[in-house]
Amino acid sequence: ADACSAISSALLHEYTGNEERLAQALTAAVAASRDIPAMSPDLKLELARSCLDHNMAEGAASIVRDVMRNASDASAMDRAMSVMAQAGQAELEALRAQREQRQAELELARQQYQRQQRLLDADATSDDAYQTARASFAVTQAQIAVLQAQIRRLGHRAQAVLQLRDGERPLGRGERRDRGRKLERRDA
């Protein structure tokens, strides 16, 4: 009853656009879904999709893990993996779009910085204007570096999901590192 109520509330708040109450209802639905082992995997996966649509990745991940742990057949496992893969792909595309936007901003910041350098050399601008342009350029470079790191991290996570879906066991960080060390020792 709690799960049905929470899911119904989430649907209502999603329809009315009340984000705060929607988040509360989704959190309650995730918690209630843990207490109902007989809840259908498809309903749980739809709940996970709703969580992902509303930036509640942790709740979605716990539901998908539960579905995977209790999957009665390969089809249920594939559907669960598909939810995670779709979420990762959407997030990856959003990060790539943000990176492209920042790269355009970087080019503008580079041009402004170079202009301020020329003006400073000609004593036609203040040191403050030059420093501001330089800082803007540096900040935009840092933002791009952060986005690239997030894209790499998400790409590794998506690769692990695909490996699980395809029946492979993805290596953990320590295992990758150890395997690399073994190869280094062998090559030495």
Side-chain angles (χ1 to χ4, degrees):
D2 290 338
C4 289
S5 175
I7 291 170
S8 298
S9 292
L11 290 171
L12 174 68
H13 297 307
E14 184 175 31
Y15 179 76
T16 61
N18 187 333
E19 292 295 321
E20 184 178 331
R21 289 213 169 164
L22 171 61
Q24 292 170 351
L26 285 173
T27 300
V30 169
S33 74
R34 290 184 194 122
D35 298 333
I36 305 174
M39 185 180 207
S40 88
D42 289 331
L43 183 57
K44 285 184 178 184
L45 291 175
E46 283 306 313
L47 178 57
R49 281 189 187 96
S50 292
C51 287
L52 289 168
D53 289 345
H54 297 285
N55 299 318
M56 297 179 66
E58 285 184 35
S62 73
I63 292 169
V64 170
R65 280 192 300 268
D66 180 56
V67 170
M68 291 169 60
R69 190 172 35 253
N70 298 312
S72 59
D73 58 18
S75 175
M77 181 71 84
D78 286 345
R79 287 192 310 274
M81 292 300 229
S82 177
V83 168
M84 291 308 288
Q86 289 169 359
Q89 189 62 33
E91 189 176 351
L92 193 57
E93 291 304 317
L95 287 171
R96 287 179 177 149
Q98 287 177 21
R99 182 185 61 191
E100 288 178 25
Q101 178 182 350
R102 291 288 189 254
Q103 286 173 330
E105 291 171 4
L106 179 65
E107 183 55 33
L108 178 61
R110 181 189 330 271
Q111 290 173 4
Q112 290 173 341
Y113 175 53
Q114 290 171 344
R115 179 176 180 268
Q116 288 298 322
Q117 280 180 317
R118 288 190 305 274
L119 290 172
L120 187 65
D121 291 343
D123 282 337
T125 191
S126 69
D127 190 52
D128 284 346
Y130 168 76
Q131 294 298 334
T132 300
R134 188 173 114 184
S136 176
F137 180 62
V139 165
T140 306
Q141 284 179 315
Q143 289 171 336
I144 290 171
V146 167
L147 287 169
Q148 288 172 326
Q150 289 174 332
I151 288 168
R152 279 192 303 274
R153 179 185 52 81
L154 189 58
H156 292 306
R157 192 170 50 185
Q159 183 65 33
V161 168
L162 292 174
Q163 287 173 335
L164 280 171
R165 187 187 67 196
D166 294 339
E168 301 172 25
R169 186 179 76 75
L171 297 174
R173 284 189 179 180
E175 291 174 303
R176 274 189 283 251
R177 207 173 313 118
D178 291 343
R179 186 174 69 176
R181 286 185 191 140
K182 288 175 189 172
L183 291 174
E184 287 172 12
R185 276 182 265 177
R186 191 176 62 193
D187 292 339

